Amino acid sequence: MPKLSKDYYLQTDVVYLAKDLLGKTLFTLFDSQLTGGIITETEAYAGITDKASHAYGNRRTKRTEIMYHAGGEAYVYLCYGMYSLFNVVTNIEGVPHAILIRAIKPVEGIAEMERRINKTIKSDKTTQGPGKLSRVLGIHYSHSGISLAGNSIWIEDNNLRLNDSQIITSPRIGIDYAKEDALLPYRFVATL
DNA sequence: CGGCCGATCCACT
DNA sequence: GTGGATCGGCCGA
């Protein structure tokens, strides 16, 4: 179960990577509790030319600075005052690309996940949604900037290979403010 | 410093 | 289908 290499995240085609991350497994290890799930939904955010991206127009703030780092870090931010949304930073240093992970299918540490949300996981719906998957995995916006090569949050390739027939492509969710860029086919969903 | 708002979720009708 | 929760980030003054 090899961890994805640093070079993997340095690849420059963020849309390709968003699709490629489907079927890989996202793990966290916090408080000696290992939890993980297969990535089943992603969205690509294509940097300074993408009106949906926090880095649109080359905007640099303390928060978005993480996206300008070299690929292989977590970009996690607070949304609606209560949800931590987890993104994978990609591309070389200076190019602020990121991939939002929107859903997982739990495979490891399910009891711990249930403890974190204080209810049982009855269907995959419980871990579908960017706010929900961060909660079950214990990811918090204070984790923004940590390396995916470390031992807190990482992604493994478990050699699950998907056919194109198992992948649905669509526009991204919740970004109407991005006008014409809201129509870009940058969202990928795996049907497992 | 004040005010607006969001890459969401859930309870309710 | 709809609205409320809830607060850090961002912008303009």
Side-chain angles (χ1 to χ4, degrees):
Chain A
M1 295 296 222
K3 212 174 267 195
L4 293 180
S5 71
K6 183 78 179 169
D7 285 346
Y8 179 87
Y9 300 107
L10 294 177
Q11 294 178 84
T12 55
D13 186 341
V14 68
V15 177
Y16 162 80
L17 282 177
K19 188 171 172 181
D20 193 66
L21 280 174
L22 295 176
K24 296 189 167 44
T25 312
L26 174 62
F27 287 98
T28 64
L29 180 61
F30 295 121
D31 300 321
S32 302
Q33 299 294 327
L34 178 66
T35 52
I38 298 169
I39 295 169
T40 58
E41 183 177 344
T42 61
E43 287 179 358
Y45 285 83
I48 65 173
T49 61
D50 181 354
K51 290 182 179 173
S53 171
H54 294 163
Y56 175 64
N58 207 37
R59 195 156 57 82
R60 284 177 180 265
T61 66
K62 184 168 186 183
R63 178 179 68 152
T64 63
E65 195 62 29
I66 304 296
M67 281 198 284
Y68 291 83
H69 292 180
E73 290 186 13
Y75 170 54
V76 191
Y77 70 93
L78 182 68
C79 191
Y80 295 102
M82 57 186 93
Y83 299 108
S84 290
L85 271 53
F86 171 75
N87 301 251
V88 175
V89 175
T90 69
N91 214 310
I92 60 173
E93 182 175 0
V95 183
H97 286 182
I99 298 164
L100 173 67
I101 308 301
R102 293 189 56 88
I104 60 167
K105 181 182 177 63
V107 293
E108 180 70 41
I110 292 172
E112 174 62 15
M113 293 181 183
E114 292 176 332
R115 207 168 299 132
R116 285 172 177 156
I117 60 177
N118 196 31
K119 61 182 181 185
T120 58
I121 295 174
K122 59 209 175 303
S123 78
D124 288 347
K125 284 211 158 144
T126 310
T127 56
Q128 290 170 351
K132 293 194 279 185
L133 80 87
S134 290
R135 272 193 76 198
V136 299
L137 292 175
I139 297 172
H140 185 262
Y141 61 88
S142 63
H143 297 128
S144 197
I146 74 170
S147 172
L148 301 179
N151 295 308
S152 298
I153 308 176
W154 69 94
I155 299 172
E156 294 184 7
D157 185 357
N158 55 14
N159 218 28
L160 177 63
R161 293 291 174 252
L162 302 173
N163 304 320
D164 277 349
S165 64
Q166 295 174 277
I167 298 175
I168 298 166
T169 302
S170 82
R172 293 168 292 182
I173 303 297
I175 54 157
D176 290 346
Y177 60 84
K179 301 188 177 176
E180 71 273 17
D181 286 348
L183 301 175
L184 293 169
Y186 282 3
R187 173 172 175 252
F188 303 97
V189 182
T191 54
L192 296 180

